[in-house]
Amino acid sequence: MSTVSAANAGTETTRLPGEPILPEARMHVVLPTSPVNGKVVHSKLCTKSKSASFVRHVCVDVSGTPLEGSWLAGQSFGVVPPGTDGNGKPHKVRLYSIASPSYGEDGFGKVLSTTCKRLLSEREPQTPKDDPTDHRLFTGMCSNYVCDLREGDSIPVAGPAGKRFILPTDRNAHDYLLLATGTGIAPFRGFIHELFVGPPEGSPLHAAWRPCTSTVHLVMGTPYTSDLIYDDFFRHVAKQHPNFTYHTVISREVRLDGGKGEYIHHYMDRTLPQFDQMLRSERTLAYICGLAGMQVGVFQTLAQRGLHSGYLDIHAELAGIPPADWTAEQVKRRVHATRRCMLEVY
Ligand code: NAP
């Protein structure tokens, strides 16, 4: 055991074996109450093929603002859509995960990116006063604003936010299990770029950068194959780096072996030997990003298989209950991620 100043705790504290030392992440250099203007420089659909959903990779130039060079891969930034809400108040800030590496899309920390999915849904009554027969189309205000922007348009931005869902200072000191559902893939695009692609030629960081030598597994879950995001990018990197494995898990299609669709924790359980040794190693860090609630199945599976040590603090109250019988509420209240397990779900 050693004593360090843990950036994620912000205090002098005891570091358990395998716990990462995180870099100091800058936070809120631009406040949402006074956003700065970024400029959209690129916007492209980033799903695999003809998907029923619309997900865009949107790049924003923040050069000349305090955001330039101020974020780390895995943090979020804020978008403050112009105009006012139904009550005449200015719209509130919405947070989007940064999908670019810390050195940006450009290698100079001037252009950040995000993975934005259009919210398209039907209205549902929210209160007893609402009309129960109203089922007109409802479009998410900010996601559609961001996805509609064209190259050259300005966008009010703030941030960055988040100081724990980031890569450790010494990348080669750890192995990585990255678990994503849907647009929860965003931070992992930045991570994988930073670990295996590196800054482009011309970047001041290019010469010193070396590819990561650690073992990295990325498990990505989507409803259909056509919903996979940045699929070509991950496949390309995996082909070039044998220490990086990219797994896709499809929930609503029959598998190649004839089995039914599954969630990422079902896949991990079914193919456990490829994760077992890695999860037992003190070097490994787990990062989980995506749908609220996705941690329930992952935590239950880890505990059921006796692989939770170092990743989860399980309250004594659950000791006598088989993990498969834990309720979602029990997992949320009584199972906590340790410093080796980073969780970003909403
Ligand atoms: P999506 O394309 O619908 O994919 C989600 C996948 O996860 C589907 O295959 C879904 O299966 C499956 N799934 C559903 N419940 C699950 C569970 N309990 N455990 C494991 N897998 C489960 O996803 P999306 O529409 O992009 O939504 C992504 C979510 O991530 C959003 O809620 C977004 O807010 C969140 N997100 C969070 C962050 C962050 O925290 N930083 C960043 C980006 C996105 P079925 O649909 O077939 O049931």
Side-chain angles (χ1 to χ4, degrees), residues 30-32 34-40 60 62 67 77-83 92-94 96 142 145-146 149 153-159:
V30 177
L31 294 174
S34 13
V36 293
N37 274 330
K39 190 166 88 169
V40 173
V60 179
V62 294
L67 275 170
F77 74 109
V79 174
V80 188
K92 291 205 176 96
V93 65
R94 264 66 163 194
Y96 289 90
C142 196
Y145 162 71
V146 172
L149 289 170
D153 285 346
S154 82
I155 173 172
V157 288

Side-chain angles (χ1 to χ4, degrees), residues 37-41 59-65 68 106 110-112 155 157:
N37 274 330
K39 190 166 88 169
V40 173
V41 289
C59 299
V60 179
D61 185 342
V62 294
S63 56
T65 78
E68 178 178 336
D106 56 326
K110 292 176 190 291
V111 179
L112 56 72
I155 173 172
V157 288

Side-chain angles (χ1 to χ4, degrees), residues 97 117 181-184 221-223 251-252 263 289-291 294 344 346:
S97 278
K117 180 173 182 174
T181 49
T183 50
T222 53
S251 58
R252 301 186 197 171
Y263 288 169
C289 187
L291 280 182
M294 71 181 276
E344 276 276 346
Y346 50 78

Side-chain angles (χ1 to χ4, degrees), residues 21 35 76 96 201 211 233 265 320:
I21 297 175
S76 303
Y96 289 90
E201 247 176 273
F233 167 72
H265 58 276

Side-chain angles (χ1 to χ4, degrees), residues 46-345:
C46 55
T47 39
K48 190 169 164 58
S49 50
K50 282 196 174 170
S51 167
S53 56
F54 300 98
V55 184
R56 287 193 159 261
H57 179 65
V58 180
C59 299
V60 179
D61 185 342
V62 294
S63 56
T65 78
L67 275 170
E68 178 178 336
S70 291
W71 76 86
L72 294 173
Q75 287 189 288
S76 303
F77 74 109
V79 174
V80 188
T84 52
D85 65 17
N87 298 321
K89 295 199 172 136
H91 286 299
K92 291 205 176 96
V93 65
R94 264 66 163 194
L95 287 181
Y96 289 90
S97 278
I98 294 175
S100 47
S102 309
Y103 43 78
E105 300 293 311
D106 56 326
F108 291 84
K110 292 176 190 291
V111 179
L112 56 72
S113 67
T114 191
T115 316
C116 189
K117 180 173 182 174
R118 289 184 187 274
L119 173 63
L120 304 169
S121 193
E122 285 194 348
R123 282 167 210 266
E124 281 178 20
Q126 304 291 321
T127 69
K129 279 197 240 156
D130 295 340
D131 176 357
T133 64
D134 182 4
H135 53 261
R136 285 172 299 155
L137 182 67
F138 167 85
T139 54
M141 204 279 304
C142 196
S143 62
N144 284 290
Y145 162 71
V146 172
C147 286
D148 282 350
L149 289 170
R150 301 174 189 199
E151 287 176 21
D153 285 346
S154 82
I155 173 172
V157 288
K163 55 184 176 178
R164 230 178 89 68
F165 203 91
I166 53 179
L167 287 169
T169 309
D170 182 356
R171 276 80 199 278
N172 292 332
H174 298 276
D175 294 318
Y176 305 88
L177 177 64
L178 313 176
L179 306 177
T181 49
T183 50
I185 196 71
F188 300 141
R189 177 184 177 273
F191 284 8
I192 295 302
H193 206 288
E194 211 159 308
L195 295 173
F196 293 115
V197 180
E201 247 176 273
S203 161
L205 303 171
H206 178 75
W209 180 84
R210 297 285 176 278
C212 181
T213 54
S214 305
T215 299
V216 183
H217 284 266
L218 168 62
V219 186
M220 163 61 160
T222 53
Y224 299 99
T225 308
S226 56
D227 296 318
L228 290 168
I229 301 168
Y230 305 128
D231 187 63
D232 290 345
F233 167 72
F234 293 122
R235 282 183 199 283
H236 177 71
V237 178
K239 251 189 204 158
Q240 298 193 321
H241 297 272
N243 51 329
F244 170 50
T245 312
Y246 170 55
H247 309 256
T248 57
V249 182
I250 307 300
S251 58
R252 301 186 197 171
E253 289 174 7
V254 175
R255 302 197 310 261
L256 286 177
D257 66 5
K260 59 179 187 165
E262 58 193 347
Y263 288 169
I264 54 170
H265 58 276
H266 301 134
Y267 170 80
M268 286 176 61
D269 200 41
R270 184 170 60 81
T271 64
L272 201 61
Q274 61 182 333
F275 301 108
D276 187 279
Q277 196 190 349
M278 173 187 196
L279 282 164
R280 290 184 196 283
S281 160
E282 277 177 358
R283 280 174 52 87
T284 301
L285 304 179
Y287 291 76
I288 302 171
C289 187
L291 280 182
M294 71 181 276
Q295 79 274 25
V296 174
V298 173
F299 286 3
Q300 284 177 316
T301 301
L302 290 179
Q304 190 79 39
R305 296 294 186 169
L307 293 168
H308 58 285
S309 174
Y311 307 101
L312 304 178
D313 283 334
I314 300 169
H315 195 278
E317 204 176 88
L318 297 183
I321 309 174
D325 295 340
W326 294 346
T327 64
E329 201 54 24
Q330 283 173 321
V331 173
K332 282 174 196 161
R333 289 184 184 280
R334 295 296 187 214
V335 184
H336 298 293
T338 66
R339 288 204 187 111
R340 283 177 52 209
C341 183
M342 327 297 176
L343 188 64
E344 276 276 346
V345 290

